[in-house]
């Protein structure tokens, strides 16, 4: 991985409006960001600091339901690291500069609570049910490579929050669902979304020594894994498959959580991830 020529693009605006994008200029504005994502029911969050925005940009960010999408990477490769809604914005002086601080939350709760209406006679495949629900929610759906789907045999009708339809379809098929960066993901519990494997080693950006961790589950059992730090690779996301190749541990793991941090004017762009054993 080439860890130079750090680039970012931040786009913001109300859904359906023109909005604005920054980061593509020869001398981009100063940005600092910290993004936290996890395979839990809690919303993903981000904090973004921007220096010397124009009054028009600040006005856009302070509009109700302003949506922000942040991409970051190296050269022309800039994966999406966060997409969500501005929940708080303030602007203050920082020496001779003007600093705008943003707090963002992904829109999984808003999407999850979207009302949908579905009705089928006869047998309906759960994949069809999930796809139709996602279409009404206005989100892209991604199915894990090994997900299989059962049928509900005697028809199905429902009007109400989308989360209830998704849970019904997934529980029938022994699957789970989540929303990350506006994408509905459906997979087996404790499994990964794809067979693609990212290697984490000293050669690919692994920093320091992995630290062993244990997580208590709601049913009283435990999950085991490792906390690792590596030079930012925003392509590695929640529920991705990772091969950890270090002096002390080698093996395949699932990304349970990740914190992405960076500042385009100083320091190193890094990720801190918790990797769990694949069940």
């Amino acid at each position: 991985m080439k860890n130079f020529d750090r680039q970012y693009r931040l786009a913001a605006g109300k859904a359906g409006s023109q909005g604005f994008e920054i980061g593509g200029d020869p001398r981009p504005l100063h940005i600092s960001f910290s993004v936290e994502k996890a395979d839990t029911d809690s919303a993903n969050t981000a904090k973004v600091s921007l220096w010397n925005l124009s009054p028009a940009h600040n006005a856009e960010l302070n509009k109700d339901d302003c949506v922000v999408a942040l991409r970051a990477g190296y050269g022309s490769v800039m994966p999406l690291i966060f997409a969500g809604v501005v929940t708080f914005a303030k602007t203050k002086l920082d020496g001779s500069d003007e600093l705008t601080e943003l707090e963002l939350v992904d829109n999984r709760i808003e999407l999850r609570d979207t009302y949908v209406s579905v009705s089928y006679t006869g047998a309906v495949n759960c994949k069809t049910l999930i796809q139709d629900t996602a279409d009404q929610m206005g989100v892209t759906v991604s199915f894990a490579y090994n997900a299989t789907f059962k049928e509900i045999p005697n028809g199905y009708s429902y009007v109400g929050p989308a989360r209830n339809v998704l849970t019904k379809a997934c529980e029938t098929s022994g699957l789970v669902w989540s929303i990350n960066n506006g994408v509905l993901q459906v997979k087996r519990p404790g499994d990964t979304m794809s067979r693609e494997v990212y290697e984490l080693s000293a050669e690919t950006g692994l920093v320091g020594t992995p630290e062993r961790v244990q997580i208590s589950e709601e049913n009283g059992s435990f999950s085991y894994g490792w906390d690792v730090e590596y030079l930012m690779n925003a392509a590695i996301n929640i529920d991705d498959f990772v091969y950890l190749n270090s002096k002390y541990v080698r093996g395949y793991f699932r990304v349970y959580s990740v914190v992405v941090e960076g500042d385009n004017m100083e320091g190193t762009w890094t990720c801190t991830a918790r990797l769990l054993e694949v069940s």
Side-chain angles (χ1 to χ4, degrees):
M1 182 176 64
K2 298 179 180 180
N3 298 303
F4 58 89
D5 189 18
R6 297 184 298 191
Q7 297 279 338
Y8 80 88
R9 300 290 185 273
L10 183 142
K14 288 178 67 75
S17 67
Q18 183 174 356
F20 68 89
E21 181 178 279
I22 59 173
D25 298 327
R27 297 185 65 181
L29 295 179
H30 185 187
I31 187 174
S32 176
F33 54 85
S34 177
V35 175
E36 297 186 13
K37 296 185 283 187
D39 184 15
T40 67
D41 289 336
S42 300
N44 297 329
T45 61
K47 293 184 177 180
V48 178
S49 297
L50 294 158
W51 281 261
N52 300 320
L53 289 172
S54 71
H57 291 166
N58 275 319
E60 190 71 30
L61 290 167
N62 278 281
K63 290 180 179 178
D64 291 340
D65 300 322
C66 179
V67 178
V68 170
L70 175 62
R71 300 180 181 273
Y74 308 93
S76 61
V77 181
M78 289 176 283
L80 178 69
I81 65 171
F82 191 83
V85 177
V86 178
T87 58
F88 181 75
K90 70 176 180 179
T91 300
K92 62 182 182 180
L93 288 178
D94 181 25
S96 60
D97 297 313
E98 194 173 74
L99 168 62
T100 298
E101 296 177 330
L102 305 175
E103 294 181 9
L104 312 172
V105 62
D106 72 12
N107 55 355
R108 77 168 69 181
I109 295 176
E110 175 186 346
L111 292 171
R112 184 188 68 190
D113 292 341
T114 300
Y115 268 52
V116 298
S117 175
V118 293
S119 181
Y120 308 89
T121 58
V124 55
N125 188 275
C126 286
K127 185 174 185 179
T128 300
L129 184 54
I130 293 170
Q131 183 65 66
D132 290 349
T133 301
D135 290 343
Q136 291 190 41
M137 295 169 68
V139 298
T140 300
V141 60
S142 177
F143 297 106
Y145 73 98
N146 58 356
T148 57
F149 302 88
K150 296 182 178 179
E151 289 189 343
I152 298 175
N154 299 315
Y156 182 78
S157 296
Y158 177 81
V159 177
R163 64 179 183 272
N164 295 337
V165 184
L166 297 173
T167 299
K168 169 69 174 180
C170 285
E171 287 182 348
T172 299
S173 299
L175 304 170
V176 292
W177 66 273
S178 62
I179 297 174
N180 281 293
N181 286 343
V183 176
L184 173 62
Q185 296 180 329
V186 179
K187 66 181 185 68
R188 294 180 177 179
D191 209 338
T192 59
M193 286 296 297
S194 75
R195 290 186 177 183
E196 182 177 8
V197 179
Y198 296 93
E199 180 174 336
L200 285 179
S201 65
E203 289 72 26
T204 63
L206 185 65
V207 178
T209 303
E211 180 180 341
R212 182 71 163 164
V213 294
Q214 175 181 281
I215 298 178
S216 176
E217 305 286 356
E218 291 183 359
N219 60 6
S221 62
F222 295 93
S223 297
Y224 299 91
W226 299 84
D227 283 346
V228 297
E229 182 180 0
Y230 52 96
L231 299 181
M232 191 188 78
N233 182 352
I236 301 177
N237 216 324
I238 302 303
D239 289 327
D240 279 341
F241 213 10
V242 167
Y243 177 67
L244 182 56
N245 183 5
S246 74
K247 179 179 178 181
Y248 299 99
V249 56
R250 291 181 176 85
Y252 293 92
F253 299 89
R254 173 178 67 92
V255 180
Y256 171 77
S257 65
V258 61
V259 176
V260 187
E261 297 180 304
D263 187 310
N264 70 326
M265 296 297 181
E266 60 185 24
T268 303
W269 290 13
T270 63
C271 292
T272 304
R274 175 157 291 180
L275 311 178
L276 297 186
E277 297 173 350
V278 178
S279 60

